[in-house]
Amino acid sequence: QFVIVVVDSTDRERISVTKEELYKMLAHEDLKKAGLLIFANKQDVKECMTVAEISQFLKLTSIKDHQWHIQACCALTGEGLCQGLE
């Protein structure tokens, strides 16, 4: 059982909303043992946030009770999608 979250790497204004919702979701009883996959989408767009920036902003290293992985991707080309699911 795992959760997949897709982050728009170009939307710096709403990343804080993503963070808030992510932590609410992970605190839910039904997801206590769920793994977490974060797709950093739109990595093909110039000036997008990097995977490192997104990881730092979402404070992913502070998540100790869930296995997590963040994967750069581009939904238009499919780049990174298979790697994330592996």
Side-chain angles (χ1 to χ4, degrees):
Q1 181 178 5
F2 61 96
V3 174
I4 298 175
V5 176
V6 180
V7 175
D8 181 342
S9 299
T10 65
D11 195 349
R12 295 175 188 275
E13 293 178 15
R14 292 194 313 183
I15 191 77
S16 59
V17 173
T18 302
K19 178 182 176 185
E20 184 179 318
E21 293 301 319
L22 172 64
Y23 283 91
K24 280 185 198 175
M25 198 171 35
L26 292 177
H28 194 277
E29 184 65 33
D30 293 341
L31 299 176
K32 288 286 186 193
K33 296 182 180 180
L36 174 64
L37 170 60
I38 299 173
F39 279 122
N41 193 26
K42 298 186 182 179
Q43 288 295 300
D44 58 319
V45 178
K46 193 175 181 177
E47 310 269 332
C48 71
M49 291 180 281
T50 66
V51 168
E53 287 177 289
I54 293 169
S55 179
Q56 185 176 25
F57 191 85
L58 296 178
K59 299 188 184 310
L60 295 180
T61 57
S62 71
I63 299 174
K64 305 293 185 199
D65 51 348
H66 297 270
Q67 287 187 340
W68 59 268
H69 176 71
I70 185 167
Q71 177 68 49
C73 73
C74 173
L76 289 176
T77 65
E79 186 177 342
L81 297 179
C82 290
Q83 294 90 331
L85 294 173
E86 289 174 3

